[in-house]
């Protein structure tokens, strides 16, 4: 049996506690409702726990490599687990957006 130096054990314990704390910040909550807000060019995402986030359309386009000329066509919540939603475009492309993409990456404040 090998022994672990106490300093290494403490460092590992610190990392474990840090990871546990980070995981507590992003708790799963099913997507309750999503709507496209055209005047904001963003998606209003509402979760079962009451949290609402306005997710910029440009962020979703960039993350899913959607063509700039593609126009928004329809929206579909993933129906089995409600763990995210799909954005369908007129050119046949589809963007997949998970709950964690919206909750863990809150929009940065714009600098004016």
């Amino acid at each position: 049996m090998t022994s672990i130096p106490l300093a290494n054990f403490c460092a590992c314990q610190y990392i474990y506690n840090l990871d546990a704390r980070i995981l507590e910040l992003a708790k799963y909550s099913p997507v309750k409702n999503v709507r496209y807000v055209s005047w904001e060019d963003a998606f209003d995402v509402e979760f079962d726990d009451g949290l609402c986030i306005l997710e910029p359309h440009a962020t979703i386009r960039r993350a899913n490599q959607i063509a700039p000329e593609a126009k928004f066509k329809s929206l579909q919540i993933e129906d089995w687990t409600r763990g995210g939603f799909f954005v369908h475009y007129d050119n046949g492309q589809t963007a997949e957006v998970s709950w964690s993409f919206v909750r863990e990456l809150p929009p940065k404040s714009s600098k004016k």
Side-chain angles (χ1 to χ4, degrees):
M1 181 173 182
T2 61
S3 63
I4 300 172
L6 185 58
N8 289 351
F9 176 75
C10 291
C12 291
Q13 188 65 29
Y14 172 74
I15 291 170
Y16 172 76
N17 288 341
L18 182 64
D19 288 345
R21 197 175 52 203
I22 290 170
L23 291 175
E24 287 179 14
L25 295 177
K27 291 188 178 182
Y28 173 74
S29 181
V31 175
K32 183 177 182 180
N33 189 34
V34 181
R35 67 186 180 118
Y36 177 63
V37 184
S38 60
W39 59 91
E40 293 281 346
D41 194 26
F43 294 91
D44 178 25
V45 185
E46 181 183 359
F47 295 91
D48 275 354
D49 64 2
L51 180 67
C52 294
I53 297 176
L54 193 64
E55 185 67 39
H57 193 183
T59 305
I60 293 171
R61 281 180 178 272
R62 197 173 323 111
N64 287 275
Q65 299 175 350
I66 302 297
E69 65 274 358
K71 304 281 186 239
F72 170 75
K73 181 180 175 186
S74 65
L75 197 57
Q76 172 191 1
I77 295 177
E78 193 273 314
D79 57 354
W80 190 50
T81 62
R82 293 187 298 140
F85 60 95
F86 302 98
V87 182
H88 302 283
Y89 296 91
D90 64 349
N91 66 352
Q93 288 183 296
T94 300
E96 298 181 34
V97 185
S98 71
W99 72 273
S100 60
F101 180 81
V102 176
R103 287 183 79 113
E104 291 179 1
L105 301 172
K108 294 178 182 176
S109 60
S110 60
K111 296 178 182 176
K112 294 184 179 181

